[in-house]
């Protein structure tokens, strides 16, 4: 079970300063709107933190676009809001261009529906988040812990994330991070490796057949046997390659219970 | 000798009740507390054999299933585009094109049915729009049944029949069916307007 609590809190409190700008093509007023600055939690999702951004820019776009869904762009690419904010930043903002605040373009027109999800309401974000959480539990405990939880526990997880309440979230999440029965580790490690054209998933166990603990390096070997040098980034840092996988999964997973590893 | 008759009657009643109580789409909805995850032992290799077989049937029928492959992942999936008339909320019919994909989900170890629906103006039908026009699922909660999720191979958004009940749906066929993908599709397909011709059922 996750017991290095100060690390969990450190990860939870990771924040990014973001500067939102309305794309100049969408401004119909004579005066350009001021950019909107926000400090956003790395572990959250953009639709959960951008209500104020939308409100701020809405008066500058034409009337017929006011009920359109707002979407965000960075470097010419629509941002996949269903990835946690920290994953987007670590993956999209390359080393040299890493300046803060992170400048993000706001759009209301031409929603890129084939590339990113619609999020007409927060239930949709919740539904997606819960589906991920459940998938992670299928990998860790064959789905048994999530399935045996009550509706109020699910609500608590969701509200904890939405309202940025560490204690509320972890009171329930700790159950998902426990190992069940006699086993000393999860069945498989829930993770995704982000590459240029999407992400890769595989079934990777936290221990070898002989029962030896696997490390991040072992995971990378299993994922990319042909590559000799792989760089990983998570929560804005490069974890040591000898970090045990089970520990990583318990302490460095995002709230959806997945390790989101950006690969360079 | 009255007892057995009564018993038979009672059993028949209970049987009817059980069927009546279960809404027709309950089988698809994600009910967290009721979910039982079973190891189906349904590997990617078995999945690939099943879809290869479906593809062979489709090639002889010419009904449009294509076998796709993403080289970098070495994962195959089936894809089909199909025009269809949907009943609009105001009773009018309108033409859409379904794009169905049958893909393997590695976490659940089951096949997944995902799809997008295109209107004639080239825009996609949203989850809510489709829901309002789908009488097959009116009695379940939309967000528990259909979720917009990443296509397991293409990593793009698709409407997805949530896979967490699939193992349960497949359970009765496990030892009997020779093609589990076809058996499973014959159960879930019609909820989202996908019908298989009888020629496929012969694979099972």
């Amino acid at each position: 079970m996750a017991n290095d609590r100060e690390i969990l809190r450190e990860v939870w409190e990771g924040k990014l300063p973001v500067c939102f700008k309305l794309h100049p093509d969408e401004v119909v007023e004579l005066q350009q709107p001021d950019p909107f600055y926000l400090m956003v939690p790395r572990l959250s999702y953009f639709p959960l933190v951008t209500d104020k951004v939308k409100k701020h820019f809405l008066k500058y776009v034409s009337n017929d676009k006011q009920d359109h869904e707002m979407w965000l762009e960075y470097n010419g690419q629509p941002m996949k809001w269903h990835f946690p904010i920290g994953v987007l930043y670590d993956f999209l903002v390359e080393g040299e261009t890493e300046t803060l605040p992170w400048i993000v373009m706001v759009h209301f027109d031409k929603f890129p529906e084939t590339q990113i999800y619609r999020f007409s309401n927060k239930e949709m974000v919740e539904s997606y988040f819960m589906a991920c959480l459940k998938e992670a539990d299928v990998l860790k405990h064959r789905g048994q812990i999530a399935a045996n939880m009550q509706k109020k526990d699910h609500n608590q997880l969701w509200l904890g994330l939405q309202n940025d309440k560490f204690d509320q979230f972890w009171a329930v999440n700790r159950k998902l991070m426990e190992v069940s029965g006699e086993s000393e580790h999860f069945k498989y490690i829930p993770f995704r490796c982000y590459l240029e054209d999407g992400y890769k998933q595989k079934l990777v166990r936290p221990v070898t057949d002989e029962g030896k603990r696997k490390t991040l390096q072992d995971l990378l070997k299993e994922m990319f046997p042909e590559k000799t040098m792989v760089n990983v980034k998570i929560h804005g840092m490069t974890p040591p390659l000898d970090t045990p996988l089970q520990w990583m999964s318990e302490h460095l997973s995002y709230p959806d219970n997945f390790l989101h590893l950006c690969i360079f | 000798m009255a007892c057995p008759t009564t018993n038979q009657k009672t059993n028949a009643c209970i049987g009817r009740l059980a069927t009546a109580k279960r809404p027709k789409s309950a089988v698809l909805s994600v009910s967290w507390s009721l979910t039982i995850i079973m190891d189906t032992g349904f590997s990617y290799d078995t999945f690939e054999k099943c879809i290869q077989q479906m593809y062979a049937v489709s090639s002889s029928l010419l009904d449009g299933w294509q076998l796709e492959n993403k080289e970098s992942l070495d994962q195959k999936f089936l894809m089909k585009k199909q025009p269809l008339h949907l009943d609009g909320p105001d009773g009018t019919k309108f033409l859409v094109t379904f794009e169905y994909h049958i893909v393997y989900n590695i976490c659940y170890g089951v096949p997944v049915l995902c799809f997008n629906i295109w209107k004639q103006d080239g825009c996609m039908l949203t989850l809510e729009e489709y829901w309002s026009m789908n009488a097959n699922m009116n009695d379940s909660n939309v967000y528990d049944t259909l979720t917009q999720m990443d296509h397991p191979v293409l990593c793009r958004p698709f409407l997805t029949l949530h896979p967490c009940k699939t193992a349960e749906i497949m359970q009765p066929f496990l030892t009997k069916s020779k093609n589990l993908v076809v058996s499973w599709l014959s159960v879930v397909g019609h909820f989202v307007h996908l019908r298989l011709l009888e020629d496929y059922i012969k694979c099972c």
Side-chain angles (χ1 to χ4, degrees):
Chain A
M1 146 62 201
N3 45 17
D4 290 328
R5 206 175 158 82
E6 65 277 23
I7 293 187
L8 301 178
R9 194 173 266 286
E10 200 67 24
V11 168
W12 182 275
E13 284 172 357
K15 290 198 169 53
L16 281 168
V18 185
C19 166
F20 295 91
K21 288 182 175 171
L22 183 62
H23 194 279
D25 289 357
E26 305 210 9
V27 182
V28 290
E29 294 293 312
L30 279 173
Q31 200 187 349
Q32 289 283 326
D34 287 333
F36 195 89
Y37 291 89
L38 262 188
M39 202 67 166
V40 296
R42 273 181 160 265
L43 300 189
S44 191
Y45 297 88
F46 272 123
L48 302 186
V49 296
T50 46
D51 283 351
K52 282 182 186 159
V53 180
K54 185 170 181 175
K55 208 176 154 203
H56 173 73
F57 289 125
L58 215 49
K59 50 186 177 290
Y60 296 94
V61 300
S62 70
N63 285 337
D64 58 323
K65 288 177 200 150
Q66 302 232 333
D67 54 348
H68 285 196
E69 282 162 51
M70 183 177 88
W71 58 280
L72 306 172
E73 173 224 306
Y74 175 73
N75 226 355
Q77 293 285 322
M79 283 217 274
K80 299 191 171 185
W81 63 261
H82 67 293
F83 294 166
I85 296 170
V87 177
L88 288 168
Y89 182 79
D90 289 344
F91 182 63
L92 295 173
V93 187
E94 301 264 349
E96 305 89 63
T97 54
E98 216 175 301
T99 49
L100 291 173
W102 183 17
I103 297 169
V104 166
M105 257 335 150
V106 173
H107 292 263
F108 287 87
D109 200 14
K110 302 192 183 82
F111 190 90
E113 55 178 6
T114 59
Q115 297 175 69
I116 60 172
Y117 295 13
R118 290 201 170 271
F119 52 99
S120 37
N121 52 47
K122 292 218 167 75
E123 282 84 61
M124 220 141 168
V125 189
E126 181 181 356
S127 150
Y128 176 79
F129 172 74
M130 285 299 172
C132 289
L133 204 77
K134 200 169 176 192
E135 193 165 297
D137 197 52
V138 169
L139 292 168
K140 287 189 289 187
H141 310 105
R142 302 166 73 204
Q144 281 158 357
I145 304 220
N148 288 328
M149 280 186 170
Q150 294 176 358
K151 182 77 185 143
K152 71 172 176 47
D153 294 328
H154 302 146
N155 288 343
Q156 192 172 333
L157 283 168
W158 172 244
L159 291 173
L161 173 69
Q162 205 181 340
N163 303 328
D164 197 15
K165 296 272 188 278
F166 176 85
D167 292 325
Q168 190 180 11
F169 178 83
W170 269 98
V172 180
N173 197 49
R174 56 189 292 273
K175 296 180 202 156
L176 292 167
M177 285 299 174
E178 271 163 9
V179 287
S180 55
E182 289 118 61
S183 179
E184 283 173 14
H185 48 77
F186 298 147
K187 189 166 181 252
Y188 298 108
I189 298 290
F191 73 97
R192 289 175 183 171
C193 286
Y194 290 77
L195 300 155
E196 263 165 41
D197 59 341
Y199 55 82
K200 244 177 148 173
Q201 270 179 292
K202 249 187 192 173
L203 296 179
V204 171
R205 288 169 53 78
V207 291
T208 62
D209 290 343
E210 294 80 42
K212 205 174 144 271
R213 281 193 308 188
K214 283 195 207 169
T215 63
L216 176 59
Q217 177 128 44
D218 295 317
L219 179 140
L220 295 174
K221 261 190 223 152
E222 284 180 49
M223 290 303 287
F224 312 102
E226 71 290 354
K227 286 189 188 166
T228 48
M229 191 58 195
V230 184
N231 289 318
V232 176
K233 209 187 224 185
I234 183 167
H235 305 302
M237 58 171 185
T238 310
L241 290 177
D242 57 357
T243 315
L245 279 183
Q246 177 71 29
W247 186 91
M248 265 188 97
S249 187
E250 289 172 9
H251 297 87
L252 300 184
S253 289
Y254 275 82
D256 64 0
N257 279 228
F258 273 87
L259 282 170
H260 296 278
L261 307 168
C262 301
I263 306 291
F264 297 96
Chain B
M1 294 306 287
C3 282
T5 331
T6 327
N7 266 345
Q8 272 166 13
K9 267 188 190 164
T10 325
N11 283 345
C13 276
I14 292 171
R16 264 205 301 280
L17 261 179
T19 348
K21 268 193 173 171
R22 189 173 196 178
K24 56 185 172 177
S25 58
V27 70
L28 291 173
S29 71
V30 186
S31 165
W32 286 64
S33 52
L34 289 174
T35 312
I36 311 156
I37 302 294
M38 279 167 274
D39 275 333
T40 52
F42 188 73
S43 67
Y44 173 76
D45 292 340
T46 320
F47 171 77
E48 196 183 312
K49 268 181 216 146
C50 291
I51 60 169
Q52 291 275 13
Q53 201 181 9
M54 282 183 69
Y55 178 61
V57 175
S58 177
S59 305
S60 62
L61 295 171
L62 299 174
D63 71 343
W65 285 102
Q66 291 167 32
L67 193 62
E68 306 276 329
N69 188 17
K70 189 172 172 187
E71 301 255 331
S72 62
L73 288 174
D74 196 31
Q75 280 220 42
K76 294 196 173 72
F77 59 92
L78 281 178
M79 193 265 272
K80 176 182 178 160
K81 286 187 183 167
Q82 180 179 299
L84 204 83
H85 284 283
L86 283 180
D87 294 317
D90 49 357
T92 53
K93 297 233 175 228
F94 78 104
L95 186 65
V96 293
T97 302
F98 275 76
E99 181 183 332
Y100 294 107
H101 289 233
I102 301 169
V103 205
Y104 186 70
N105 178 304
I106 189 167
C107 296
Y108 285 92
V110 294
V112 184
L113 178 60
C114 48
F115 56 98
N116 275 327
I117 309 163
W118 305 89
K119 293 186 268 199
Q120 278 178 300
D121 62 4
C123 290
M124 268 163 38
L125 213 61
T126 65
L127 175 58
E128 286 83 1
E129 284 171 333
Y130 178 54
W131 196 261
S132 69
M133 286 176 228
N134 189 343
N136 299 328
M137 295 208 255
N138 280 349
D139 46 8
S140 35
N141 176 353
V142 49
Y143 299 114
D144 285 351
T145 312
L146 274 179
T147 317
Q148 223 182 0
M149 292 186 81
D150 280 332
H151 186 290
V153 178
L154 301 176
C155 302
R156 282 198 279 115
F158 273 78
L159 301 177
T160 306
L161 265 181
H162 202 275
C164 77
K165 284 263 176 172
T166 305
E168 216 174 313
I169 295 170
M170 279 166 54
Q171 194 73 9
F173 308 115
L174 271 182
T175 48
K176 293 173 202 144
S177 169
K178 292 195 197 73
N179 190 318
L180 278 169
V181 176
V182 172
S183 300
W184 156 76
L185 264 186
S186 67
V187 177
V188 299
H190 74 276
F191 287 109
V192 291
H193 295 93
L194 174 66
R195 288 182 198 281
L196 285 184
L197 295 169
E198 284 204 8
D199 301 70
Y200 289 97
I201 310 296
K202 289 175 195 151
C203 299
C204 308

